[in-house]
Amino acid sequence: MTAPPDDCLARNEWICGAYLSSRREILWDAALQHVQLTVLAVAIGLVLALPLALAARRWRWAAGPVLGLTTVLYTIPSLAMFSLLLPLYGLSAALVVAGLVLYSLTLLVRNILAGLRAVPEETRQAARGMGYGPLRLLLAVELPLALPAAMAGLRIATVSAVSLVTVGAIVGYGGLGNLIYSGMNTYFKAQVLTASVLCVVIAVAADLLLLGAQRLLTPWTRRRA
């Protein structure tokens, strides 16, 4: 028997409105898990990257080991990374988050450190002359001036995390990657395409959101432009 002419699911078409309407809750749950894993991983990565970058800036001897270690972690293939972390976290969402955190460190540490190093020394000296202590100098002068470089790293790390979350499908915590993986196994065209497009939409939306936040937090760069 041939599929009805109006049944795109039965014909297994790539673009199918019936798939969207009948799997709305499944798509929403997968997308929500995808966003949650991404946000959690990038947030933890940022919390870890900031002190590492500060240590590398404060002690020159620490810069080489910190940058070298984070670079080595970034070169490990994702499947190998998850395999190495498996004994610690088991088959859980924590396994995926931990892997994404380690991958994000390279981009975040390098960009935060580059931003801090780009702060003009005369600006630091002027702040010290005005009575700024080390902590106030960091919070009120150095970090704001380093923000554009740090945000650039954060944007790249976030988009990369959105992509890498899909690999978590191998342990059942891949967000939209779960749908892509199962769709590829069954050659379910509409599911593969829809989940893939949603991954792109999430990545673009996250990048635009961070870009907007950067513009709000750095109004002096807009005036200069």
Side-chain angles (χ1 to χ4, degrees):
M1 295 179 61
T2 59
D6 59 344
D7 191 350
C8 55
L9 283 174
R11 295 196 304 271
N12 194 26
E13 294 182 350
W14 287 103
I15 301 175
C16 182
Y19 174 79
L20 293 174
S21 59
S22 62
R23 270 82 168 177
R24 186 180 296 110
E25 291 187 4
I26 295 176
L27 289 169
W28 172 255
D29 290 341
L32 184 61
Q33 183 186 78
H34 207 105
V35 172
Q36 289 174 337
L37 291 172
T38 299
V39 171
L40 184 59
V42 174
I44 295 174
L46 187 59
V47 169
L48 295 176
L50 182 58
L52 288 174
L54 291 174
R57 197 281 306 269
R58 176 66 177 81
W59 298 289
R60 290 185 179 276
W61 60 265
V66 168
L67 295 177
L69 177 60
T70 55
T71 300
V72 169
L73 290 173
Y74 196 76
T75 63
I76 301 175
S78 54
L79 292 179
M81 178 71 80
F82 289 158
S83 298
L84 292 173
L85 295 174
L86 185 60
L88 293 175
Y89 298 99
L91 299 175
S92 65
L95 171 66
V96 180
V97 172
L100 295 177
V101 168
L102 294 178
Y103 280 128
S104 70
L105 287 179
T106 300
L107 299 167
L108 294 174
V109 171
R110 284 184 178 275
N111 280 270
I112 294 173
L113 181 58
L116 291 171
R117 286 176 171 175
V119 177
E121 183 59 31
E122 56 268 24
T123 302
R124 294 192 179 95
Q125 294 297 338
R128 293 189 185 101
M130 295 172 63
Y132 281 48
L135 182 58
R136 188 182 178 191
L137 175 64
L138 174 65
L139 297 178
V141 178
E142 294 179 315
L143 286 180
L145 292 178
L147 197 57
M151 288 298 294
L154 181 61
R155 289 169 60 192
I156 298 173
T158 302
V159 172
S160 298
V162 172
S163 174
L164 288 171
V165 165
T166 57
V167 184
I170 62 174
V171 296
Y173 293 92
L176 293 165
N178 294 339
L179 300 181
I180 295 174
Y181 184 73
S182 61
M184 291 178 64
N185 284 338
T186 58
Y187 199 58
F188 193 171
K189 296 179 181 178
Q191 180 163 296
V192 172
L193 180 62
T194 303
S196 300
V197 170
L198 286 176
C199 284
V200 175
V201 170
I202 291 174
V204 172
D207 187 57
L208 292 175
L209 183 63
L210 290 173
L211 178 60
Q214 177 181 340
R215 291 177 63 84
L216 288 175
L217 293 172
T218 58
W220 61 90
T221 59
R222 298 200 305 272
R223 289 195 296 266
R224 189 186 313 162

